[in-house]
Amino acid sequence: MSFLPIRVLVVEEHPFKQLVATQVFKDSGCEWVMGVADVAAALELLDRTGPVDIVLCTLKEEGLQGLTTLEALSRTRWVRSMIICSSHAQDLHDAIERMLGLLGVSFLGYVDAPVRAAAIAVLLTRYLETTVANGHPVSRQARHTRASKARLEHAIARDELKSFFQPKFNLMTGKSDSLEVLARWEYPQFGVLPPADFLAQAGRFGLMDELFFSLLEQALAFLQTAQEQGHVLSLAFNLEAGQLACKSLLPRLCAALERYAIPPSRLTFEITESGLLEVSPGVLQTLIRLRMMGAGLSIDDFGIGYSSLERLCQLPFTEIKLDARFARDLETSSRNRAVISSTLALAQALDMAVVVEGVEHESQRQGLLKLGCELGQGYLCARPMSATRALAWLGMKSVSCGTL
Ligand code: C2E
Ligand code: CA
Ligand code: CA
């Protein structure tokens, strides 16, 4: 296989199995492949060498050691995705996948031991489709670069961190009047980097608020230009639940909206489900104030966390974004169809909208329509675009997804 800009770490205590697995990744063309015997060595290596794209990890039949390893590696936030070598039952696999989602690591799939080239090739393709092909050219040097706090601050101050825009669209008509703002780093030497390459560091350095306000400023300017061109749109921003506790959030937000003469009702804030597990009084107060101002509130990545009905009823949300994994395998997975149907029923009872994430193919759109879904987001309509491209896209499509 040709060169793949992918960094892989194999965690396997059995020397021969470790050798086989690392060799399979090397033969597949992965740029950087390392093997270690246990979690301590893995953590030490990650600390020395920085983020990896994929960790392959074994879950044994007995004992909790494998789970502890998965959790410890995920919590470093240096691991982008995981492949798990396991022969446990399906329901246990589903639960583990959910746990990884909560820990912010994307799950690529399970493989059997010994690891085989064909199985790995499928998962590498999946990885490339969801990350590299996702408008994120992977740069070798960039992957090795751990931005310092000063470098990130400098990047935010100089607007190297950009607002990109991806439409939410009506599954029936293809029309779109709302875009999600997604962060990208236009790194001078390396090209466009995805959030996975810098968001964790921004969080560690306490720069999430500065990042948000920089993206807000750019996005409001975009909204104003779009309006001048005849497109009245609304925008959705991602916020971490912790940011809602910051006292200066609302005054700064209101000041920016006033400067651009944009009403708060044209904004929605997406907060990930897992961040809502513990809501402090301060966070709840901000959620209520945002709603009272007229802004929308959306539960992001719904279905992979632990939201309960009680939680949903307590919090003033207006929208559920159903995680992309439920739009996969619609034909064959009765479990996914059941999750979608029950989410629609729940949302209807609570008077909330549902947006299904990860709509990539026409067959998914058809399947979702059959289940009664109205709104989606995904590559079928458009990938995240820079402001300039988004404005051109809006003009070309007359705010309707061309494929539909
Ligand atoms: P998210 O909020 O769930 O955003 C959706 C992610 O799925 C985006 O990844 C988007 O590019 C990707 N995506 C959209 N359509 C499809 C599709 O059809 N197929 C597939 N495979 N993927 C699709 P991205 O831009 O890499 O962002 C990853 C996550 O980073 C976001 O997940 C969000 O949680 C976080 N994020 C991005 N920008 C910001 C930000 O400004 N602030 C905060 N707090 N989080 C952000
Ligand atoms: Ca989101
Ligand atoms: Ca999401």
Side-chain angles (χ1 to χ4, degrees):
M1 202 184 252
S2 56
F3 166 78
L4 299 175
I6 295 181
R7 288 161 58 81
V8 181
L9 174 60
V10 173
V11 186
E12 168 60 64
E13 66 177 7
H14 193 288
F16 180 68
K17 286 184 187 163
Q18 186 193 110
L19 188 71
V20 171
T22 49
Q23 200 54 49
V24 166
F25 282 105
K26 282 180 189 162
D27 291 346
S28 306
C30 292
E31 169 195 9
W32 184 98
V33 185
M34 294 292 281
V36 293
D38 56 29
V39 64
L43 293 174
E44 196 270 325
L45 188 81
L46 286 174
D47 205 45
R48 248 187 315 118
T49 59
V52 293
D53 297 277
I54 298 172
V55 164
L56 180 129
C57 192
T58 303
L59 269 192
K60 291 214 190 106
E61 289 291 329
E62 72 296 328
L64 291 172
Q65 202 188 347
L67 270 190
T68 317
T69 303
L70 293 185
E71 191 182 351
L73 292 177
S74 305
R75 288 202 188 282
T76 63
R77 304 188 82 171
W78 288 130
V79 177
R80 208 163 175 184
S81 62
M82 282 209 188
I83 296 174
I84 299 178
C85 192
S86 157
S87 50
H88 284 287
Q90 179 66 40
D91 56 344
L92 197 58
H93 280 176
D94 289 345
I96 291 166
E97 193 175 337
R98 220 166 100 120
M99 182 190 97
L100 288 177
L102 272 178
L103 291 164
V105 172
S106 82
F107 172 71
L108 286 180
Y110 289 100
V111 290
D112 294 323
V115 174
R116 286 169 201 279
I120 293 299
V122 171
L123 299 179
L124 288 174
T125 307
R126 185 172 297 168
Y127 181 77
L128 289 168
E129 277 171 5
T130 55
T131 54
V132 180
N134 188 7
H136 312 321
V138 174
S139 152
R140 298 177 72 178
Q141 292 110 305
R143 288 312 187 74
H144 296 274
T145 305
R146 284 210 237 165
S148 65
K149 183 174 183 197
R151 179 68 188 92
L152 254 173
E153 276 173 333
H154 175 81
I156 294 172
R158 300 194 42 170
D159 282 350
E160 282 176 23
L161 285 142
K162 296 277 192 237
S163 281
F164 270 48
F165 303 87
Q166 188 187 31
K168 298 179 186 180
F169 67 103
N170 183 304
L171 289 162
M172 179 73 85
T173 63
K175 289 229 179 296
S176 168
D177 56 12
S178 168
L179 303 164
E180 177 176 3
V181 179
L182 293 160
R184 295 288 182 271
W185 187 348
E186 286 188 355
Y187 204 105
Q189 298 92 337
F190 305 139
V192 181
L193 303 182
D197 284 354
F198 58 84
L199 218 53
Q201 274 156 295
R204 279 185 192 176
F205 297 145
L207 295 173
M208 291 305 285
D209 289 340
E210 286 322 303
L211 171 62
F212 168 68
F213 284 109
S214 168
L215 298 181
L216 178 74
E217 201 72 29
Q218 298 170 38
L220 294 179
F222 165 85
L223 212 53
Q224 211 173 43
T225 312
Q227 189 163 321
E228 284 159 14
Q229 297 180 5
H231 309 293
V232 180
L233 302 166
S234 50
L235 289 179
F237 291 86
N238 292 285
L239 277 182
E240 295 200 339
Q243 293 181 268
L244 298 167
C246 175
K247 290 251 181 303
S248 60
L249 177 78
L250 289 184
R252 283 181 78 180
L253 174 65
C254 291
L257 287 170
E258 257 173 47
R259 252 184 290 120
Y260 286 90
I262 288 171
S265 56
R266 288 185 43 201
L267 303 192
T268 292
F269 296 92
E270 299 187 1
I271 296 134
T272 45
E273 186 192 14
S274 46
L276 294 168
L277 285 177
E278 308 245 325
V279 177
S280 67
V283 168
L284 185 56
Q285 206 179 88
T286 307
L287 289 174
I288 293 170
R289 279 173 195 259
L290 284 168
R291 271 301 301 283
M292 287 172 69
M293 285 160 56
L297 294 176
S298 177
I299 304 184
D300 210 344
D301 300 343
F302 183 79
I304 60 169
Y306 293 116
S307 288
S308 63
L309 276 177
E310 191 195 357
R311 163 76 58 224
L312 282 177
C313 296
Q314 277 170 354
L315 300 173
F317 279 85
T318 53
E319 178 185 274
I320 292 176
K321 286 188 83 178
L322 192 60
D323 191 72
R325 75 191 53 191
F326 300 108
R328 279 190 231 139
D329 312 321
L330 275 186
E331 301 275 305
T332 51
S333 172
S334 54
R335 200 178 257 254
N336 284 2
R337 288 197 304 273
V339 171
I340 294 174
S341 297
S342 53
T343 306
L344 288 174
L346 173 67
Q348 195 178 23
L350 297 176
D351 199 20
M352 294 161 82
V354 175
V355 179
V356 184
E357 303 184 310
V359 185
E360 296 183 355
H361 307 293
E362 176 57 22
S363 59
Q364 281 172 300
R365 185 181 77 92
Q366 297 289 351
L368 291 167
L369 279 172
K370 256 191 233 159
L371 289 171
C373 300
E374 282 177 18
L375 298 170
Q377 189 175 8
Y379 300 162
L380 179 67
C381 179
R383 288 172 184 262
M385 300 167 274
S386 68
T388 313
R389 281 196 53 202
L391 285 170
W393 181 85
L394 286 166
M396 262 173 8
K397 309 285 176 198
S398 300
V399 210
S400 168
C401 290
T403 44
L404 309 182

